[in-house]
Amino acid sequence: MGDRRPFGYDLHTHTTASDGTLSPAEVVRHVWAAGLAGVGITDHDTMGGVKAAEEEGQRLGIQVIPGIEISTEYEGREVHILGYYCSSDSASLAGVLEELRAARKQRLERIVENLRGAGLDISFDQLVIAIGNEAVGRPHIARALVKLGFASSVQEAFEKYLLRGRPGYVPRHKMDPLTAIRCIREAGGVPVLAHPGLVGDDSIITRLVDAGLMGLEVWYPEHTPEQTAHYESMAESLGLIATGGSDFHGKGEREAELGSVRVPEEFVIRLAEAGSLRLEN
Ligand code: AMP
Ligand code: ZN
Ligand code: FE
Ligand code: FE
């Protein structure tokens, strides 16, 4: 791509459908305000936010790319698979997502039990009522802990209570990335490996390609310039579509701001073509 800098599309964001703090419509309004051409809505384990985002996108002239992020584990490592342009009619994908969301809820119940066991006076009901999201996660607990005065920030709540080795830690449902890739492909979607720099083992990538992986999230706020260059050339040599995004979860959370990553349109066109959908301009 010569000396062209990424701009235009932020392909990795979360909304209140999962663990973001802004509603899908609010995210799209922020996308508009950030001067982006489009946004990928990639909530954890649900596409429940896509429709509302699309409606607001139509109103504001923002291209909304439907997506999903599935957390998986491979050889003890966290491997997150993004899926773009999945059909919401796919029974096998919908079944898997439903199972993952049910497991998330059970996990949250166990986290609350553990925290109560550690002496924190919190109740699940209090949290569940406050939550109401389709896909729940540790950030919901972290925010509740901040609100109740057990931590001064979401980051601190994670560090004190929710990270591995801490009193509230409960392992997530262990899904295999190969299964996630297969389900996304079966749903007509485009599977992309999220933030490869955080995975910590590049040899996994070629194995995921053999399983049907079609893209690599090259541009990511936590990637160093060296990692970005490395994954850019890796995407090219493996024939993967380069993507990128901020992993926005809302204002004031630890993730980067919307538009801090701007993917050029040419890559979004490749993504859309791979999903056999057309970019409407
Ligand atoms: P879960 O899916 O429930 O395991 O929660 C994972 C989510 O928690 C990630 O998508 C991040 O948004 C957030 N997260 C993970 N680690 C941290 C951390 N150290 N501080 C703040 N947020 C975190
Ligand atoms: Zn998240
Ligand atoms: Fe992720
Ligand atoms: Fe994410």
Side-chain angles (χ1 to χ4, degrees):
M1 40 181 268
D3 54 7
R4 252 182 97 187
R5 286 181 45 220
F7 69 98
Y9 293 77
D10 186 333
L11 297 175
H12 188 156
T13 67
H14 297 270
T15 79
T16 48
S18 65
D19 59 6
T21 59
L22 299 181
S23 74
E26 283 170 331
V27 168
V28 173
R29 287 198 282 278
H30 280 75
V31 163
W32 178 85
L36 286 153
V39 61
I41 302 290
T42 54
D43 275 307
H44 302 282
D45 304 336
T46 179
M47 299 206 292
V50 169
K51 192 165 174 282
E54 282 173 345
E55 282 166 9
E56 191 67 3
Q58 290 244 316
R59 218 171 62 75
L60 295 174
I62 296 292
Q63 176 82 32
V64 171
I65 291 111
I68 187 106
E69 182 175 23
I70 303 180
S71 306
T72 73
E73 202 180 294
Y74 196 59
E75 296 172 350
R77 294 177 190 276
E78 280 270 327
V79 173
H80 296 183
I81 305 293
L82 297 159
Y84 294 99
Y85 297 112
C86 295
S87 161
S88 46
D89 304 333
S90 163
S92 76
L93 181 63
V96 163
L97 296 181
E98 206 164 301
E99 194 186 313
L100 289 172
R101 292 196 295 267
R104 280 181 169 276
K105 211 168 209 165
Q106 282 169 15
R107 177 184 182 221
L108 239 61
E109 285 169 358
R110 289 188 49 207
I111 290 176
V112 172
E113 268 170 39
N114 286 357
L115 291 175
R116 285 175 62 83
L120 274 69
D121 185 19
I122 53 170
S123 78
F124 186 72
D125 286 352
Q126 185 183 21
L127 279 169
V128 177
I129 292 162
I131 290 169
N133 309 66
E134 288 191 32
V136 292
R138 286 179 292 170
H140 295 109
I141 302 272
R143 289 172 199 142
L145 290 173
V146 171
K147 218 166 167 183
L148 296 169
F150 292 104
S152 60
S153 67
V154 165
Q155 180 68 41
E156 191 188 287
F158 264 87
E159 282 161 11
K160 273 169 83 175
Y161 300 110
L162 301 170
L163 294 180
R164 204 183 293 235
R166 296 282 142 207
Y169 181 74
V170 175
R172 214 193 283 107
H173 181 288
K174 287 190 179 30
M175 177 163 205
D176 185 320
L178 309 181
T179 308
I181 289 169
R182 182 170 44 76
C183 285
I184 290 166
R185 290 292 293 265
E186 278 172 12
V190 187
V192 172
L193 176 62
H195 39 70
L198 307 189
V199 175
D201 178 5
D202 286 352
S203 77
I204 289 176
I205 298 173
T206 47
R207 283 176 277 164
L208 297 183
V209 170
D210 291 340
L213 189 75
M214 298 170 85
L216 195 61
E217 192 175 54
V218 168
W219 301 290
Y220 190 75
E222 289 176 43
H223 284 171
T224 64
E226 292 74 25
Q227 283 176 319
T228 304
H230 168 67
Y231 291 118
E232 201 173 340
S233 72
M234 203 163 177
E236 205 164 315
S237 65
L238 291 171
L240 295 169
I241 302 164
T243 74
S246 64
D247 209 352
F248 181 71
H249 278 72
K251 300 271 162 199
E253 301 261 328
R254 107 196 142 122
E255 288 84 1
E257 281 304 312
L258 273 176
S260 56
V261 170
R262 287 167 185 260
V263 179
E265 187 176 47
E266 61 192 273
F267 297 96
V268 182
I269 291 171
R270 283 186 67 190
L271 199 62
E273 281 171 356
S276 33
L277 286 178
R278 214 162 262 145
L279 255 189
E280 343 163 311
N281 273 311

